[in-house]
Amino acid sequence: MRKVLVAALALVALAAVASVAFAANTYTLHKASTSAKGKGSLAKPKPTNLTFGFRVGETDPSKRATVIEKYAIGAEGLLANTRVKPRCAFTDIDNPVVPARCTKALVGKGIVKNAAGPSSDQRLSESLPCNLRLRLYNIGTGMAIRLDSNGQPPPPSFDSNVIGCPLPIATAIKAKFVRTRIAGVVGSDLRFTVPQNLKHPVTGVDNSIRESVSTIARAEKTINGKRWGFYSKVGCKGTRRTVRATFTTETTASEPARKFTASKQVKC
């Protein structure tokens, strides 16, 4: 079945005749919320859950967005502490099947929705939907972003939330936490680079993200006398908190890498 799907995608890529025009991606943060009330502080952190979602499109809605290679995601006054949860090695999570011993390191779940199509033709009409199950695991330095198609065929439409993809996907991306300042307040950026096998699962085919939604569950532990969460609120300026995501497109033969930042203001 895999060989048939690979061949089908390759034929689509070879048959495409449209030229690649400069793509103007659009970026929207449509979900950003926490469960804990109050601003929190470094002296008295407030453990919280975190729901985060973004959409990537094109100014021409009939087209896929260009491929994104790098991400940085964080929020003002939202700090990660990986000591709160058990950890699992990235090499264990980046396996065909995640071993049962990593279950305790699971911190979040969600979905990633993509469009796969020929690099020479961005039209959605020449693309196939690819929805992946998302699981997030604590690896100590950050999170492993586990992606699975569950061996299912492509969903019926781009609007569907059914998990499935033209090609079987069972892999992980290594993401690291970087302590930084967002809107002048300390916070944790989750930074990662998408590997080649996910950007271009077949030569001549692009895999463009359309939407990602994830929720990291509230988990907490007392460390050095403070009650920390895997994510904790540790401050906020004013009454609104800045949530931001930075996207960097990949470099191609015709276009350099381009960086974009999207943000959303939410209640502290």
Side-chain angles (χ1 to χ4, degrees), residues 157-170:
S157 72
F158 290 111
D159 295 325
S160 173
N161 289 324
V162 174
I163 299 300
C165 192
L167 294 175
I169 302 294

Side-chain angles (χ1 to χ4, degrees), residues 16 52 59 68 103 173 184 216 222 233 245 266:
F52 179 82
T59 50
I68 299 170
T103 301
I173 301 171
I216 296 175
T222 299
K233 291 183 173 183
V266 299

Side-chain angles (χ1 to χ4, degrees), residues 33-249:
S33 63
T34 55
S35 58
K37 295 182 179 180
K39 297 183 177 183
S41 67
L42 287 171
K44 293 184 178 180
K46 287 183 173 291
T48 186
N49 78 345
L50 171 64
T51 295
F52 179 82
F54 64 86
R55 292 189 178 117
V56 181
E58 228 270 6
T59 50
D60 181 347
S62 69
K63 293 181 179 180
R64 301 186 314 270
T66 51
V67 175
I68 299 170
E69 183 173 68
K70 296 181 180 180
Y71 295 78
I73 298 168
E76 171 189 347
L78 206 61
L79 203 59
N81 191 328
T82 60
R83 296 167 64 190
V84 167
K85 288 279 289 184
R87 66 188 67 180
C88 208
F90 176 77
T91 51
D92 286 332
I93 298 164
D94 191 25
N95 269 323
V97 178
V98 179
R101 63 177 176 273
C102 291
T103 301
K104 291 184 179 180
L106 182 66
V107 295
K109 299 178 180 180
I111 186 173
V112 178
K113 303 172 72 172
N114 306 277
S119 304
S120 55
D121 193 338
Q122 285 184 257
R123 290 177 297 170
L124 283 175
S125 60
E126 298 302 315
S127 309
L128 293 173
C130 173
N131 291 350
L132 302 176
R133 177 190 181 195
L134 169 66
R135 287 175 289 171
L136 300 168
Y137 291 88
N138 179 26
I139 57 172
T141 56
M143 291 191 288
I145 303 169
R146 174 71 188 202
L147 300 167
D148 289 276
S149 62
N150 293 348
Q152 297 301 307
S157 72
F158 290 111
D159 295 325
S160 173
N161 289 324
V162 174
I163 299 300
C165 192
L167 294 175
I169 302 294
T171 189
I173 301 171
K174 183 183 285 188
K176 64 179 180 180
F177 284 124
V178 177
R179 188 159 172 158
T180 186
R181 300 188 79 81
I182 300 172
V185 182
V186 68
S188 294
D189 246 0
L190 184 69
R191 300 179 184 177
F192 57 95
T193 299
V194 181
Q196 187 73 7
N197 67 315
L198 286 173
K199 293 186 299 180
H200 304 286
V202 177
T203 301
V205 171
D206 290 353
N207 189 41
S208 302
I209 193 165
R210 288 174 57 82
E211 182 179 21
S212 175
V213 177
S214 60
T215 296
I216 296 175
R218 176 170 173 163
E220 51 188 280
K221 181 180 180 180
T222 299
I223 301 172
N224 296 330
K226 296 180 184 179
R227 196 66 177 171
W228 285 97
F230 188 81
Y231 267 109
S232 298
K233 291 183 173 183
V234 296
C236 185
K237 284 186 177 180
T239 60
R240 309 294 289 178
R241 185 185 307 275
T242 299
V243 182
R244 76 177 186 198
T246 300
F247 309 85
T248 304
T249 59

